[in-house]
Amino acid sequence: MSEVKISAETRSEFGKGAARRIRRENKVPGVLYGHGTDPVHLTLPGHDLMMALKTSNALLALQLDGKTELAIPKAVQRDPLKGFIEHVDLLLVNRGEQVSVEIPVHTEGELAAGGNLLEHVLNALPVEAEATHIPESLTVSVEGLEAGASVLAKDIPLPKGVTLAVDADAVVLQVLAAQAEEPAAEGTEASAEA
C-alpha cells in the first residue's frame, strides 16, 4: 500500500459552528490521536481526503507543522444523504508497527449448479498487519462450493506478515440451499374460483 500525502493544518476552533465554517471551505475537521499523545485537532482538504479514503485502510502521510506523521483512518463520519465526509478520526502509526484493521473479502468463481446462494457472514476480515503493508482486499475462491459448505477464516490465504485477529474457526462465507417455491395446492384454487 502506498502512502497518500495530505497537507493538514492544526485548528483551535471547536464546536458545531466552527465545523460548519470548515466544511463551507471544502475542508474536513478531524482528530489525530494515538501513542499516548494528546489529540491534535486538524483541518484536512476535503477533496484530497475523499480521494484517499476511496481505498480501504488508506495510509495517510500527513504534512503537519513541517513534519510528516503516518496515520490510518479509524472512524469516518459521512453525510447520510450526500455522502460527503463530515469528520474523520485518524490513528497515529509508526513504520513497522502492527495495527488491527478489517480487510474487505471479495469472492471469485461460480458456485455448484442448483441456484444456491452465497452469504457473506463477514464482509471484512479482522486482521493484524504492519501499518505500511496493509492489504487492500482478500480474495477467496468459491468455485464449485455446494449447499452447506462454509469458508472459515483459517481457510483464507493471508499475505506474508498478516495474521488473523478473529477466531480461526469463524465462518466468513457460507453457501445456502436455494429454497424452491411451494406449488399452490389445487384444491385452494378451485375453491377460490367458486
Side-chain angles (χ1 to χ4, degrees), residues 4-86:
V4 179
K5 293 183 180 179
I6 294 182
S7 59
E9 304 165 359
T10 56
R11 63 185 168 99
S12 56
E13 287 188 301
F14 308 105
K16 193 183 298 185
R20 286 181 180 157
R21 279 192 294 280
I22 291 169
R23 290 187 200 108
R24 273 196 301 268
E25 297 172 5
N26 293 325
K27 295 183 179 181
V28 177
V31 178
L32 175 65
Y33 61 92
H35 296 168
T37 61
D38 291 333
V40 178
H41 297 272
L42 306 171
T43 301
L44 303 154
H47 182 73
D48 293 347
L49 183 63
M50 179 197 64
M51 295 305 289
L53 295 181
K54 286 190 180 280
T55 306
S56 63
N57 299 313
L59 181 63
L60 306 176
L62 300 175
Q63 307 297 318
L64 181 64
D65 298 332
K67 298 187 302 186
T68 300
E69 301 281 359
L70 290 179
I72 58 173
K74 198 61 176 171
V76 179
Q77 296 172 356
R78 295 181 185 270
D79 179 276
L81 297 176
K82 297 179 182 176
F84 297 131
I85 300 172
E86 291 187 333

Side-chain angles (χ1 to χ4, degrees), residues 119-124 170-174:
E119 179 185 16
H120 287 259
V121 178
L122 295 176
N123 288 324
V171 176
V172 178
L173 303 166
Q174 63 185 3

Side-chain angles (χ1 to χ4, degrees), residues 83-100:
F84 297 131
I85 300 172
E86 291 187 333
H87 189 273
V88 64
D89 287 347
L90 301 172
L91 182 63
L92 195 59
V93 295
N94 292 325
R95 294 186 190 286
E97 176 183 359
Q98 292 287 321
V99 294
S100 296

Side-chain angles (χ1 to χ4, degrees), residues 119-140:
E119 179 185 16
H120 287 259
V121 178
L122 295 176
N123 288 324
L125 189 65
V127 298
E128 288 188 0
E130 198 264 314
T132 58
H133 293 92
I134 300 172
E136 288 186 29
S137 65
L138 300 170
T139 303
V140 179

